[in-house]
Amino acid sequence: LGDGQIDIVSDRRGWPGRAIPICSDELGNVWMATGNTLFRTTPDALAPPERVQETPGNVRVIFPGKNGSLWIAGSFHSVICRKPDGTVTNFGYKEGFISDQTRSIAEGADGVLWVGTQEGRLFRLMDGRFTEPHSGEFGGYEIRALHVDKEGCLWIGTAGGGMLGRRGEGLAV
């Protein structure tokens, strides 16, 4: 890709024709998923992407976390953490994660991971365990977007329930 140029790379050179989530990590890798397959490439070469991992279901979210970790989730009953060395950890029912429709992920400077679901559930991962600190407070509205700002406030965008902010343990509209 040159400055201001667009190159259509899907359906040729091994690129997926349908990439839903796309992100880049701190090493400059570009990550994308199509269905249940995770791909990686670098932006310079536009070489065919490398198939890196299969997941138990469709990937909907790829989030570049702290220390080069990659968080992967979607229509399966877990959140996957992929470390830079390729080590994979699944966080599922046993760790308190109860959803198969993840829609958003964010991570705060404190290392706390937040996960929003289609069912309107907000999960927090701390010390290897998911909890649901605001159970039932979103009226079932899908949590489509999460963002932690530099002040540590968690912003929550819902489909129909408005925009909310969370500082400390409370929620504000």
Side-chain angles (χ1 to χ4, degrees):
L1 295 175
D3 288 338
Q5 295 178 338
I6 295 175
D7 183 14
I8 300 172
V9 296
S10 64
D11 292 333
R12 62 186 168 103
R13 295 185 284 198
W15 284 77
R18 179 178 180 243
I20 299 296
I22 301 172
C23 77
S24 60
D25 63 22
E26 59 190 30
L27 301 174
N29 294 308
V30 176
W31 295 86
M32 67 207 79
T34 180
N36 69 333
T37 305
L38 184 67
F39 295 89
R40 173 181 53 209
T41 192
T42 58
D44 324 314
L46 286 180
E50 170 191 4
R51 286 178 183 259
V52 176
Q53 180 177 337
E54 299 291 319
T55 61
N58 289 328
V59 176
R60 302 261 188 223
V61 182
I62 305 172
F63 181 82
K66 306 275 184 252
N67 304 320
S69 293
L70 199 65
W71 294 92
I72 305 155
S75 59
F76 43 93
H77 294 279
S78 65
V79 176
I80 299 168
C81 178
R82 182 181 175 80
K83 303 273 186 193
D85 66 2
T87 306
V88 173
T89 304
N90 286 294
F91 295 89
Y93 289 126
K94 192 171 87 176
E95 294 78 22
F97 187 71
I98 308 164
S99 178
D100 66 350
Q101 295 296 325
T102 299
R103 291 294 180 258
S104 51
I105 298 177
E107 185 176 16
D110 56 3
V112 173
L113 191 80
W114 295 93
V115 178
T117 73
Q118 180 175 318
E119 304 95 345
R121 300 175 82 176
L122 178 66
F123 292 92
R124 173 176 58 190
L125 178 64
M126 289 177 57
D127 302 321
R129 182 111 187 110
F130 276 101
T131 58
E132 197 173 359
H134 298 286
S135 180
E137 292 189 40
F138 299 101
Y141 291 112
E142 178 179 350
I143 299 175
R144 288 191 178 171
L146 294 172
H147 174 74
V148 180
D149 68 20
K150 64 181 180 177
E151 319 254 314
C153 182
L154 172 66
W155 293 97
I156 305 158
T158 69
M163 181 78 154
L164 299 104
R166 180 189 188 279
R167 189 178 308 283
E169 293 300 316
L171 285 175
V173 177

